[in-house]
Amino acid sequence: MCVKLGLDGAEFEKVLLSAETESQLQQHLGLVQQLRVSGFPALFYVNDNNEAFALALGFCEVGDLEERFDKCKNNIA
């Protein structure tokens, strides 16, 4: 698959299996658990205080997303 995408297969495997990749994966999994994400897609607004507010937990229409984002911005500002 890597060759079809024009990637160096050996380099891809090296990065995929690296300690840094595993560390980043574990950080992301911890964040997913902390935010109680159980589906895809999940979209959050994170403010300057590192507080996360759910905008979408699953599919939503663009208009709904815009409305949620505006409410979030206005309540935080």
Side-chain angles (χ1 to χ4, degrees):
M1 181 59 111
C2 291
V3 174
K4 288 182 182 180
L5 295 173
L7 302 174
D8 179 330
E11 181 65 20
F12 179 84
E13 184 176 8
K14 177 182 165 188
V15 172
L16 178 66
L17 300 175
S18 72
E20 181 180 349
T21 299
E22 178 64 25
S23 175
Q24 288 180 2
L25 173 63
Q26 293 305 320
Q27 287 176 347
H28 289 169
L29 291 175
L31 182 58
V32 164
Q33 189 174 37
Q34 180 183 350
L35 295 174
R36 295 188 170 113
V37 173
S38 62
F40 178 82
L43 183 63
F44 290 83
Y45 173 80
V46 180
N47 67 14
D48 292 336
N49 295 324
N50 210 29
E51 298 169 312
F53 301 89
L55 298 176
L57 298 172
F59 176 80
C60 73
E61 297 288 338
V62 173
D64 294 334
L65 182 59
E66 290 173 337
E67 184 179 318
R68 292 172 192 166
F69 180 70
D70 288 340
K71 281 183 182 178
C72 188
K73 269 192 334 186
N74 292 335
N75 287 337
I76 293 171

